[in-house]
Structure formats: C-alpha cells, structure tokens
Amino acid sequence: VPLAATGFMFSEALVEKLYGTDMKQAGTVAKYFSLIHVLPLISMPLSMAVTTLEKNSRTVGLLILQVTVNIALDIILIPQYGLMGAVVAVLLTFILTIPIRLSVIRRLIGGIWFPFTFFLKIILSVSAISLIYSLLPKCSSLWAEFTCAVLFAGSNWLVLWRLNLLEPLIEMIRKKSKS
C-alpha cells in the first residue's frame, strides 16, 4: 500500500519533470498503474496459504488462465487505447480471474480467510498520510519532488512501524520470499 500510494502521489509529476512535458501522458499512466500494487492484498495471504500447504503445483492452471486472459485483453485494448489500455488490461485480468482463483484456492486450503482488520489499518494509515501530503503545495523542481516522495514513503513506513503494523507485514513478505 505505501508503494502504491507513493507512486500514485508522485509518479506523474516525477515523470514529467524527468522527461519533459511530452511524457505527461506516460506520467498519468504510471500514476494509475501504481494503484495496481494494491491488488496483491487479496492474493498474497492466499498464496502464502497454498505455499504453506505445499499445493503450488495445483495452481499452475490459474497462472495459465491469467496469462491467457491478459494477452487477450492486451490484444484488444492496447491498439485502441495505448498505454492506458495496458493498465486496464492488467486490472481487468485481475477482476475477471479473481472469482475463479478464489474458488480454486477455497477448495485447496479449505476456506478463505483474510486479515481484513490488519489491511484496513494499513490502508487507513496510508490514506491519512496521503491526504496530508496532498494538501501541501506542489514542488517546483525535480529534486524537491523527489525529496517529497522520499519523505512521503518514509513517513508511511514510520507510521506503520509506530502502529506496530510493519512487523507483521515484514513477516508476511519473509514467508512469501522463502517459497
């Protein structure tokens, strides 16, 4: 969530300042593509459960389904909508395949449980910081924008750490990376 929020808040301005006004559209795409980093909130806990139960091989068909749907959507959307079509293709792939993935995972692990309270606390914390930063005046230079982005990301991690939300998050990432 902090990564998605940082990208959403700063990527548009940073792309334009780094590459000029001709790349403004790419900055807009980067801004909204950053929000796609929130989607794993649904998949990550389930993926960890599948890995823990050593049933990863039974989910290969789901990966093939996702790739097939994404390529089909890319073929349909990118020629007509360009970069935004690619972003929409990724989002639609997730939306169209999640019911099937949830159904398969439910059968593999015997149910579906999400740490809703934990994720809600993180989302609310990052949203509050995002609101505060959105009220600040716009940065005029590349270095000022970059500094604001680093301070924003750092303040997110600091708040998550102070609310004791960082350790469970790091533990989830550690478990996921061991698989």
Side-chain angles (χ1 to χ4, degrees), residues 86-106:
V87 173
V88 171
V90 171
L91 182 62
L92 283 175
T93 298
F94 182 83
I95 291 169
L96 293 172
T97 62
I98 196 67
I100 297 165
R101 290 186 295 141
L102 290 177
S103 174
V104 170
I105 300 299
R106 181 181 296 120

Side-chain angles (χ1 to χ4, degrees), residues 46-63:
L46 301 175
S47 177
M48 288 172 50
V50 169
T51 300
T52 302
L53 295 173
E54 298 179 355
K55 296 184 178 184
N56 280 331
S57 62
R58 296 184 188 172
T59 62
V60 172
L62 293 174
L63 294 174

Side-chain angles (χ1 to χ4, degrees), residues 33-118:
F33 192 78
S34 298
L35 294 179
I36 290 175
H37 290 92
V38 175
L39 299 179
L41 287 179
I42 294 172
S43 302
M44 190 183 298
L46 301 175
S47 177
M48 288 172 50
V50 169
T51 300
T52 302
L53 295 173
E54 298 179 355
K55 296 184 178 184
N56 280 331
S57 62
R58 296 184 188 172
T59 62
V60 172
L62 293 174
L63 294 174
I64 293 169
L65 170 70
Q66 284 180 268
V67 169
T68 304
V69 169
N70 189 255
I71 290 172
L73 289 170
D74 284 343
I75 290 169
I76 294 168
L77 297 173
I78 291 175
Q80 189 168 356
Y81 300 105
L83 288 173
M84 282 309 255
V87 173
V88 171
V90 171
L91 182 62
L92 283 175
T93 298
F94 182 83
I95 291 169
L96 293 172
T97 62
I98 196 67
I100 297 165
R101 290 186 295 141
L102 290 177
S103 174
V104 170
I105 300 299
R106 181 181 296 120
R107 279 188 266 132
L108 286 175
I109 65 175
I112 294 180
W113 304 275
F114 288 105
F116 283 113
T117 306
F118 173 71

